[in-house]
Structure formats: C-alpha cells, structure tokens
Amino acid sequence: LPVVQDFEELIHDRITTMSRKETTYKHILARTLVMLVSMALAQAIPNFSNYMSLVGATSISMNNFFFPPLFYFWLTDYKVTLWQKAIFYEVMVFAWVFAIAGSYSAINTIVSFSSSTSECG
C-alpha cells in the first residue's frame, strides 16, 4: 500500500528495509494506525458507499474513457485519421455524459438519504 509506505516514511525515515525482511515495532504500529484511522472514517461517515459512488462516477469514467484518448491526441500531436478522431471524440463525450449522469445519481442518493434521516429524528 503506497499510502501506508508514505505514512511510514513520515514517521521514520527507514522503517522498512529495501528487502522487507525486517519488521520492527514501528512498522507494525504505523500499519495498525493507518488501518484504525481508515476504519474510524468508514464508521464515522454514514452510508460511506454513497460517497464512494460519487467518487467512482467521476474518477473512473474520466480515468478510463476521457483521459486515454486525450493523452493519445497529445502524444501524436493530433495527427490521427478522421475516423480515429471521430471515435475518440465520441468516447470522450460519452465519458462526460456518464460522469455527469453517475454524479447526478450519486448526489441524488446522498441528498435523499440525508433528507430521510433528518425527518426520522
């Protein structure tokens, strides 16, 4: 886990060795602390899955469908055939459509959950 490794480096310069054969108490403490903080966040936020849906709707559609054609355009200096341009632009437009639709759905779910819980109290 890169996040855990970055956290370990923050706590101590070289908790883990390059060979990863040596485990120290600091190493175990850092991993345990990161897991406890993650668990506390997941428990503290009601319906965490709704927020993950929002993050997934935007980031997955952009990372998988929008950015690859865009980067390909940049790498080839836009020297692609007309058919490739048409397909790439279609994919990029659909990525935005799916990102907006998914974000709308996730936000709608979050808002409806918030309003339903506030009426119960």
Side-chain angles (χ1 to χ4, degrees), residues 57-75:
T58 54
S59 65
I60 290 175
S61 60
M62 291 292 121
N63 286 334
N64 291 341
F65 298 109
F66 181 77
F67 290 128
L70 181 67
F71 294 153
Y72 187 80
F73 277 147
W74 288 347
L75 288 172

Side-chain angles (χ1 to χ4, degrees), residues 1 24 29 42 47 66 73 98:
L1 294 164
T24 64
L29 181 66
N47 274 5
F66 181 77
F73 277 147
F98 292 136

Side-chain angles (χ1 to χ4, degrees), residues 49-58 99-113:
S49 61
N50 294 339
Y51 295 100
M52 288 306 297
S53 295
L54 178 61
V55 170
T58 54
I100 291 169
S103 298
Y104 175 77
S105 173
I107 290 170
N108 218 7
T109 304
I110 292 169
V111 169
S112 68
F113 176 74

Side-chain angles (χ1 to χ4, degrees), residues 76-121:
T76 60
D77 290 330
Y78 294 90
K79 294 176 184 167
V80 293
T81 65
L82 183 62
W83 286 105
Q84 285 177 322
K85 278 185 185 179
I87 291 171
F88 287 162
Y89 282 129
E90 279 183 47
V91 169
M92 291 166 73
V93 167
F94 279 120
W96 276 103
V97 169
F98 292 136
I100 291 169
S103 298
Y104 175 77
S105 173
I107 290 170
N108 218 7
T109 304
I110 292 169
V111 169
S112 68
F113 176 74
S114 306
S115 63
S116 69
T117 56
S118 63
E119 292 171 2
C120 293

Side-chain angles (χ1 to χ4, degrees), residues 1-22 24 26-35 38:
L1 294 164
V3 173
V4 175
Q5 291 169 352
D6 290 341
F7 181 69
E8 288 172 352
E9 287 179 9
L10 264 173
I11 291 178
H12 191 268
D13 255 353
R14 297 286 178 188
I15 291 175
T16 57
T17 60
M18 294 302 283
S19 65
R20 298 219 181 259
K21 291 181 182 176
E22 182 182 326
T24 64
K26 292 178 183 178
H27 177 116
I28 294 170
L29 181 66
R31 299 262 169 151
T32 304
L33 187 60
V34 167
M35 290 307 296
S38 300

